[in-house]
Amino acid sequence: MAIREIHVTGYRSVRNLRLHLSQINVLTGANGTGKTNLYNSVFLLAKAAAGGFAQVVAEEGGMPSVLWAGARKSRSLGAIRLEPVRMTLGIKTDTFSYELVCGLPKQTSGEKSAFSLDPEVKEERVWMDAPHGLKVTFFERSPKGAWILDNDERLADYSGELLPTESVLSQLREPHLYPELSSLRAEISRWRFYHHFRTDAESPLRHPQVGVRTPVLAHDGRDLAAALQTINEVGQSQDLHEAIRQAFPGASLEIEHDEDTGMFAVLLRMPGLRRPLRARELSDGTLRYLCLLAALLSPHPPSLLALNEPETSLHPDLLEPLAKQLVNAGKYSQLWVVTHSQRLAELVEKFSGESPIKLEINGGETRVMGQRALDESEEEAG
């Protein structure tokens, strides 16, 4: 179930934006145009399905911090709205549509809660488009209650014990009774995000780690050596070592394994050196490039693979081999890549034929270059 469209409103610099996606999506734009905000909006949806949505919002500063802070105009009067701002996160896949609407907790009389910065789910719905413009709703949540399509294809009350700060997808009771919602949750749970790989002296990447068979690299790359060895052993060794040679001509990768302790370590043999370099001796860019290879060559490709600024610390000569690996990974996973590098975006376009999505800031809000604001288009259509 690839994402065909995302719709975000009221999130930081994103006031109202609808974006159609293809198999390979590269977002570019100057600093402050909202690239990371769009990336994070998809990450928030993933957390909503897995649980921990409120925690991620709290780490961003709480609900007041993530809400759109600009003016909202009434279509009819052109005046500033005074009602609370809402944040909407929505996706449309090949099969389902999902929308989550959040805002600040409702204020009640009496003692003030210590959790007044938490998000509160105001509305939530899961549906499927049907022929003739109809749609089948599997779940709907509003201030009036929550309703779910049961086994008898009737809407049943599902208010129960739903936490107001979390999505229904993370709180399904007896999920086998609701196969559509379970299917959507399972698909979203397979999305994979890589924000940043630590490469400081104390980073786990630079030191041997206990390893097990690792078909999926950890989000922070801490199991890099075991992940690379797994790729070696599942028949993708040739692809991995060819990617190493393209990036570092004459170099070869070795994975050291201590059978007594179960410790794994990354070694890179470089031309002209009499011994291989250990991970602690590699440059930040080299180590991050190895992490990217482990993510892109995973034996278990995710339905969505998201990378935030993969070019960080990379030498310009590494951008072309990275672009080739991104395009190759796009054969098996839908890609969502945010980059500051115009060169990387151009190379991905060259090898894939997919044009980058260029963002700009207009009146304080994130927009796609050449795309009019949604409400402006709707007013003209009206």
Side-chain angles (χ1 to χ4, degrees):
M1 291 192 295
I3 303 176
R4 295 307 174 198
E5 179 181 285
I6 65 171
H7 181 211
V8 182
T9 71
Y11 177 61
R12 294 197 181 278
S13 66
V14 186
R15 186 180 64 85
N16 192 358
L17 190 148
R18 192 180 301 274
L19 189 60
H20 297 280
L21 302 186
S22 52
Q23 186 65 12
I24 297 177
N25 306 276
V26 178
L27 279 69
T28 66
N31 286 332
T33 54
K35 300 184 300 298
T36 299
N37 290 340
L38 273 178
Y39 175 94
N40 285 342
S41 67
V42 179
F43 179 66
L44 280 172
L45 275 173
K47 295 304 294 184
F53 176 76
Q55 181 65 37
V56 174
V57 171
E59 290 170 357
E60 289 196 33
M63 200 64 201
S65 178
V66 304
L67 289 172
W68 162 255
R72 299 186 65 178
K73 294 183 179 180
S74 166
R75 180 185 300 179
S76 57
L77 301 176
I80 303 300
R81 291 180 184 264
L82 298 178
E83 59 261 28
V85 178
R86 296 285 186 259
M87 176 180 73
T88 302
L89 306 173
I91 57 167
K92 183 175 183 179
T93 72
D94 293 325
T95 308
F96 299 107
S97 293
Y98 174 59
E99 185 175 74
L100 184 70
V101 182
C102 300
L104 291 167
K106 185 178 181 181
Q107 296 298 322
T108 57
S109 59
E111 186 176 351
K112 184 178 180 181
S113 170
F115 304 106
S116 60
L117 302 185
D118 285 4
E120 185 172 275
V121 178
K122 305 295 185 180
E123 299 176 39
E124 186 177 13
R125 56 188 61 88
V126 179
W127 74 95
M128 177 189 294
D129 291 327
H132 311 298
L134 301 176
K135 67 179 182 180
V136 178
T137 301
F138 299 105
F139 176 81
E140 186 157 9
R141 183 181 188 180
S142 74
K144 297 180 180 179
W147 305 89
I148 197 166
L149 196 67
D150 64 18
N151 285 345
D152 297 323
E153 297 187 353
R154 294 178 302 184
L155 285 177
D157 185 10
Y158 201 74
S159 303
E161 300 298 322
L162 283 179
L163 287 172
T165 57
E166 296 290 342
S167 161
V168 67
L169 296 179
S170 67
Q171 302 181 72
L172 278 179
R173 302 185 297 273
E174 299 182 296
H176 62 282
L177 298 179
Y178 313 106
E180 293 84 8
L181 295 185
S182 296
S183 175
L184 177 60
R185 180 176 69 178
E187 189 64 25
I188 295 177
S189 72
R190 287 191 283 269
W191 294 355
R192 211 169 292 164
F193 296 82
Y194 293 101
H195 310 327
H196 176 68
F197 300 115
R198 272 185 57 198
T199 54
D200 58 89
E202 301 304 317
S203 168
L205 276 69
R206 293 197 176 277
H207 304 279
Q209 300 289 324
V210 174
V212 296
R213 193 177 298 275
T214 306
V216 177
L217 181 73
H219 70 92
D220 58 0
R222 63 175 54 247
D223 48 11
L224 173 63
L228 292 172
Q229 182 60 25
T230 303
I231 292 171
N232 271 332
E233 294 190 11
V234 297
Q236 291 175 276
S237 176
Q238 183 175 349
D239 293 339
L240 173 60
H241 292 284
E242 177 58 30
I244 296 291
R245 286 190 289 270
Q246 288 179 6
F248 313 108
S252 61
L253 176 71
E254 299 177 9
I255 304 299
E256 183 179 75
H257 171 220
D258 188 319
E259 294 185 357
D260 294 328
T261 63
M263 304 292 281
F264 287 74
V266 172
L267 307 176
L268 191 63
R269 193 172 291 277
M270 302 296 289
L273 299 182
R274 301 181 63 181
R275 65 170 181 83
L277 298 177
R278 307 190 74 84
R280 65 175 179 267
E281 301 173 284
L282 299 178
S283 71
D284 291 355
T286 298
L287 202 52
R288 286 196 174 109
Y289 185 78
L290 293 177
C291 287
L292 290 168
L293 289 184
L296 294 168
L297 291 170
S298 169
H300 292 172
S303 58
L304 176 73
L305 178 58
L307 303 170
N308 191 22
E309 300 179 20
E311 75 281 2
T312 300
S313 297
L314 298 192
H315 188 278
D317 290 346
L318 293 180
L319 295 183
E320 182 165 334
L322 173 59
K324 290 179 179 178
Q325 293 304 316
L326 287 169
V327 173
N328 184 64
K331 298 174 184 176
Y332 312 101
S333 302
Q334 186 176 29
L335 290 190
W336 177 254
V337 181
V338 170
T339 179
H340 283 294
S341 172
Q342 185 63 32
R343 175 63 176 157
L344 179 60
E346 291 170 351
L347 286 166
V348 171
E349 181 177 17
K350 173 184 175 182
F351 298 132
S352 69
E354 294 282 0
S355 300
I357 300 167
K358 299 180 180 179
L359 302 181
E360 62 180 352
I361 204 78
N362 188 319
E365 66 177 277
T366 296
R367 293 191 187 179
V368 177
M369 284 188 180
Q371 184 183 97
R372 302 197 67 178
L374 284 181
D375 44 10
E376 292 177 2
S377 302
E378 290 166 358
E379 286 176 4
E380 285 191 357

